[in-house]
């Protein structure tokens, strides 16, 4: 009962906050995150009343299954951006940009934090600096997708943005595995090639293979149903099933293997949207069903933000350097790779700004960094938490500004505003009667 009450209050707080932040022209994602902070351990949770906000982060973590499912639906929706008809136009450009900007962001952060290591060797070790450089490559697909949906963004920038964000996960996973393997080798004095190269490659291949198989099965099952209601229920249940399967881990000899749920669900969407003739309509129906789930996901993400990292000035200082270097790397990498691949000027100018949000994938990587030891692992996690705190609150607004200035978000026409006013007036008259 207590958990249900917390969920209800969290969702209600998120929806109410959108009305407040909407007047200030902030996107809904930012409103949900702020609402999460307010109902989290550092605000409403301080009252210590069970069910009225989250009193500890452990209470928020109990609802991680909601976040896992929400990320699965987000990845499934992003898979819809990989239709073959669209990939023929932008596939090459998205691949070049997706790989290049991630690598450049890692190089920029590595260079900046290695320099910080020599200035503050007692605070930031070389293995921790290298690990943070790889974490910098990750971009949060959730916030980006929500902004695109809320404002119905359409155009050249949006077309390439979502595939790039999706590729970011695979590239970031490889960069992290290699950098983390090098960092551990520096600590132990021995290099494990299996952990550095083989395991991450297998994780990507197995994730894509599992997603492809699930996509084919979903396409086959969809043919057994005639009503859109049953088809939508099938898709929802199948995405949840796919998330559950992708959370499995297993050991084969010395190899520790698992799946990336984001890659698995993304591949599920890719195969389904290209093999099922009704996929476009069905995926739109599932998107409408998941709206409250995604709102709750962002509120919970806000509640998970660690405000306590702001109390450590050394972490804040390194975190600022991390953010500046990562932002410069993302922007410069996107600009150069767009120029190389022949993208339009508006895409070159604004794509890098839309790649700044960072959340779940980066936090997952920072959790794995605990393998560096308690001291280095804590530094990596706190700096990542600081970056996520700032990026999640500021990133969606920057994405909205970039999409607006590129022309992908169009202001509401006078005709739309008049139609809205007419509908409200008619509703008021009906209520008066």
């Amino acid at each position: 009962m207590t958990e249900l009450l917390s969920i209800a209050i969290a969702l209600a707080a998120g929806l109410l906050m959108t009305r407040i932040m909407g007047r200030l022209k902030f996107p809904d994602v930012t409103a949900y995150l702020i609402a999460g902070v307010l109902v989290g351990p550092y605000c409403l949770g301080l009252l210590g009343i069970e069910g009225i906000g989250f009193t500890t982060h452990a209470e928020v973590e109990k609802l991680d299954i909601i976040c896992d499912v929400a990320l699965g639906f987000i990845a499934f929706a992003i898979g819809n951006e990989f239709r073959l008809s669209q990939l023929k136009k932008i596939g090459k450009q998205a691949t070049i940009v997706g790989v290049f900007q991630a690598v450049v962001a890692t190089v920029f952060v590595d260079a900046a934090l290695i320099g910080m290591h020599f200035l503050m060797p007692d605070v930031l070790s070389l293995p921790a600096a290298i690990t943070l450089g790889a974490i910098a490559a990750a971009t949060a697909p959730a916030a980006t997708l929500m902004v695109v949906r809320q404002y119905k963004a359409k155009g050249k920038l949006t077309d390439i943005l979502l595939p790039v964000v999706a590729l970011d996960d695979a590239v970031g996973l490889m960069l992290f595995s290699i950098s983390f393997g090098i960092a551990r080798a520096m600590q132990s004095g021995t290099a494990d090639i299996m952990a550095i190269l083989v395991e991450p490659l297998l994780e990507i291949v197995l994730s894509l293979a599992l997603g492809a198989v699930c996509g084919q099965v979903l396409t086959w099952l969809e043919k057994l149903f005639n009503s859109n209601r049953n088809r939508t229920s099938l898709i929802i249940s199948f995405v949840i099933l796919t998330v559950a399967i992708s959370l499995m881990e297993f050991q084969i000899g010395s190899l520790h293997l698992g799946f990336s749920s984001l890659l698995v669900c993304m591949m599920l969407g890719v195969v389904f949207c290209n093999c099922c003739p009704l996929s476009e309509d069905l995926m739109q129906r599932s998107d409408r069903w998941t709206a409250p789930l995604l709102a709750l996901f962002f509120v919970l993400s806000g509640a998970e933000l660690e405000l306590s990292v702001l109390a450590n000035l050394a972490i804040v200082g390194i975190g600022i350097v991390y953010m500046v270097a990562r932002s410069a790397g993302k922007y410069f990498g996107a600009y150069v790779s767009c120029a190389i691949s022949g993208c339009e000027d508006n895409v070159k100018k604004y794509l890098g700004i839309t790649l700044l949000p960072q959340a779940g994938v980066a936090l997952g990587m920072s959790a794995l960094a605990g393998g560096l030891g308690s001291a280095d692992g804590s530094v990596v996690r706190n700096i990542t938490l600081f970056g996520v705190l700032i990026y999640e609150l500021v990133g969606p607004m920057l994405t909205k500004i970039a999409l607006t200035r590129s022309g992908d978000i169009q202001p509401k026409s006078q005709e739309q505003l008049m139609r809205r006013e007419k509908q409200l007036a008619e509703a008021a008259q009906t209520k008066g009667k």
Side-chain angles (χ1 to χ4, degrees), residues 308-330:
S308 59
V309 299
L310 299 176
N312 190 325
L313 294 181
I315 294 297
V316 171
I318 297 172
I320 291 172
V321 173
Y322 166 83
M323 290 180 58
V324 170
R326 179 179 179 270
S327 301
K330 285 286 183 181

Side-chain angles (χ1 to χ4, degrees), residues 59-282:
E59 290 183 11
V60 186
E61 290 171 2
K62 288 181 182 178
L63 303 176
D64 275 353
I65 188 171
I66 295 175
C67 298
D68 291 334
V69 173
L71 284 171
F73 279 103
I74 289 165
F76 179 69
I78 289 177
N80 192 39
E81 303 301 320
F82 286 85
R83 292 184 180 272
L84 292 177
S85 57
Q86 188 173 358
L87 287 180
K88 290 177 181 178
K89 300 177 183 176
I90 62 165
K92 182 179 178 181
Q93 292 176 332
T95 302
I96 293 172
V97 176
V99 175
F100 191 83
Q101 56 82 24
V103 173
V104 171
T106 295
V107 171
F108 272 46
V109 174
D110 274 342
L113 294 188
I114 289 173
M116 290 293 293
H117 159 70
F118 290 109
L119 293 175
M120 307 168 66
D122 295 334
V123 178
L124 182 66
S125 70
L126 202 55
I130 293 173
T131 303
L132 283 165
I135 292 175
T139 297
T144 303
L145 180 65
M146 283 289 285
V147 173
V148 168
R149 281 184 180 175
Q150 180 186 347
Y151 296 101
K152 298 178 175 61
K154 291 182 180 179
K156 298 291 185 181
L157 178 56
T158 304
D159 288 343
I160 195 172
L161 170 59
L162 294 178
V164 167
V165 170
L167 286 170
D168 225 36
D169 187 36
V171 178
L173 177 63
M174 278 297 301
L175 290 172
F176 176 78
S177 298
I178 293 170
S179 296
F180 187 51
I182 293 172
R184 285 195 296 186
M186 292 174 66
Q187 286 185 329
S188 64
T190 58
D192 186 351
I193 300 301
M194 297 293 283
I196 294 175
L197 294 177
V198 178
E199 286 185 6
L201 277 173
L202 280 175
E203 181 173 336
I204 292 172
V205 171
L206 290 174
S207 297
L208 295 177
L210 176 61
V213 171
C214 291
Q216 289 289 353
V217 173
L218 176 58
T219 302
W220 177 75
L221 289 175
E222 178 272 330
K223 297 176 182 178
L224 302 178
F225 299 91
N226 296 319
S227 72
N228 285 331
R229 182 176 61 184
N230 288 337
R231 289 188 179 115
T232 303
S233 298
L234 171 67
I235 290 173
I236 291 167
S237 62
F238 209 85
V239 172
I240 296 173
L241 174 63
T242 303
V243 171
I245 295 173
S246 66
L247 294 176
M248 294 170 52
E249 296 182 356
F250 47 95
Q251 192 85 21
I252 300 178
S254 61
L255 287 175
H256 178 76
L257 300 176
F259 304 98
S260 165
S261 60
L262 283 175
L263 285 180
V264 174
C265 292
M266 183 191 73
M267 196 62 182
L268 170 71
V270 171
V271 173
F272 181 69
C273 78
N274 284 291
C275 295
C276 176
L278 304 174
S279 62
E280 190 164 2
D281 178 59
L282 292 175

Side-chain angles (χ1 to χ4, degrees), residues 330-354:
K330 285 286 183 181
Y331 186 85
F332 180 77
Y335 189 93
V336 172
S337 55
C338 283
I340 293 171
S341 57
C343 295
E344 294 185 0
D345 288 342
N346 270 351
V347 177
K348 285 193 295 184
K349 190 174 180 180
Y350 295 111
L351 179 61
I353 299 173
T354 64

Side-chain angles (χ1 to χ4, degrees), residues 281-326:
D281 178 59
L282 292 175
M283 293 181 90
Q284 287 178 353
R285 289 174 181 272
S286 68
D287 287 345
R288 289 194 288 270
W289 181 89
T290 58
L293 175 65
L294 299 186
L296 182 58
F297 163 72
F298 283 107
V299 175
L300 293 176
S301 298
E304 282 186 314
L305 293 177
E306 285 273 8
L307 302 186
S308 59
V309 299
L310 299 176
N312 190 325
L313 294 181
I315 294 297
V316 171
I318 297 172
I320 291 172
V321 173
Y322 166 83
M323 290 180 58
V324 170
R326 179 179 179 270

